[in-house]
Amino acid sequence: MNGWRYWAEPEEAEWPEAISMQSDVGNFTAISCFRAMRIPKLYDAKACANAGAVAVIDSYYDVLMSRYLEAPDMDWLISRQNPYFDLTVGMARLDHLTLPKADVMVFFRVTFPTWERLVASRRRYLDMNTVFPSAFAFQETLLSAAKLEALSSKTSLFIYEQEYSSIEESAAKLSEQLRSHLVSKTIKNPL
């Protein structure tokens, strides 16, 4: 829409077996698999932004994970009793220190009815069947992590109020609001 470069996480139908077999292979394997899909995109986007283009990436979880992984309501992601928990915490802390940082984080905040419709319309069966009872509550934990990151880094936080609409309508609304935010922050190369 704006000529910006973007990197999107694949939809559930394109996820590798390590994620769809999470109940068999374990949460650490699924977390590691998601991480392996996302990390190269962070580096590609940062290189693009450093070259002067606007780069947009749809996931910043790996940079933020150390800020939410040990929260009390995160057992659905990986339990403290999981033998890989300490390794996951260490990986998350190291990722926070070493991964490329964004100029702007866009947080998509949703109401429960909107979230429920979005999950169903995208056929996010892992969310519906495995983490559905906890996933919506994660929004507040993640928002707290994003706010903490914005306070302690040079990353600007923009909160977008997501509504249920067509992709085109949502993209146009987000584009307009994000452009205004970027102008107000005078940031030229958001990641």
Side-chain angles (χ1 to χ4, degrees):
M1 177 182 290
N2 294 304
W4 298 348
R5 295 281 314 276
Y6 69 92
W7 288 260
E9 191 173 297
E11 289 296 327
E12 188 169 337
E14 300 167 26
W15 290 349
E17 274 186 311
I19 297 168
S20 61
M21 294 178 60
Q22 183 173 348
S23 59
D24 296 323
V25 301
N27 290 21
F28 176 76
T29 301
I31 289 167
S32 299
C33 190
F34 273 119
R35 180 185 180 278
M37 287 190 302
R38 293 188 295 241
I39 298 298
K41 294 174 183 185
L42 279 171
Y43 283 99
D44 285 348
K46 193 61 174 181
C48 181
N50 288 343
V54 175
V56 178
I57 188 160
D58 79 345
S59 178
Y60 205 56
Y61 291 114
D62 301 289
V63 174
L64 297 178
M65 188 179 285
S66 69
R67 297 195 181 278
Y68 63 75
L69 188 60
E70 297 180 272
D73 58 347
M74 292 306 297
D75 275 0
W76 63 271
L77 182 59
I78 188 163
S79 162
R80 290 177 185 273
Q81 286 70 47
N82 188 303
Y84 290 95
F85 181 78
D86 290 338
L87 180 61
T88 306
V89 169
M91 180 177 66
R93 288 179 181 161
L94 191 57
D95 280 348
H96 184 261
L97 292 173
T98 62
L99 291 177
K101 301 299 187 280
D103 292 323
V104 177
M105 283 183 286
V106 178
F107 186 89
F108 290 76
R109 184 166 39 199
V110 295
T111 63
F112 184 79
T114 299
W115 176 77
E116 199 170 33
R117 286 182 72 188
L118 289 166
V119 168
S121 71
R122 291 180 63 193
R123 296 179 180 87
R124 297 294 297 258
Y125 299 110
L126 181 66
D127 288 337
M128 287 189 282
N129 299 328
T130 307
V131 300
F132 190 85
S134 301
F136 183 75
F138 174 54
Q139 175 178 226
E140 288 307 313
T141 303
L142 187 58
L143 180 55
S144 294
K147 287 178 177 178
L148 187 58
E149 178 66 17
L151 284 173
S152 65
S153 71
K154 294 181 181 177
T155 301
S156 171
L157 176 61
F158 172 71
I159 299 174
Y160 176 73
E161 302 294 338
Q162 177 69 51
E163 297 171 353
Y164 189 83
S165 63
S166 72
I167 292 170
E168 295 78 13
E169 289 171 331
S170 292
K173 181 180 171 187
L174 174 60
S175 175
E176 179 182 325
Q177 290 180 17
L178 188 54
R179 282 182 169 282
S180 295
H181 178 78
L182 295 176
V183 167
S184 71
K185 296 294 180 185
T186 63
I187 295 171
K188 297 178 183 172
N189 296 323
L191 169 63

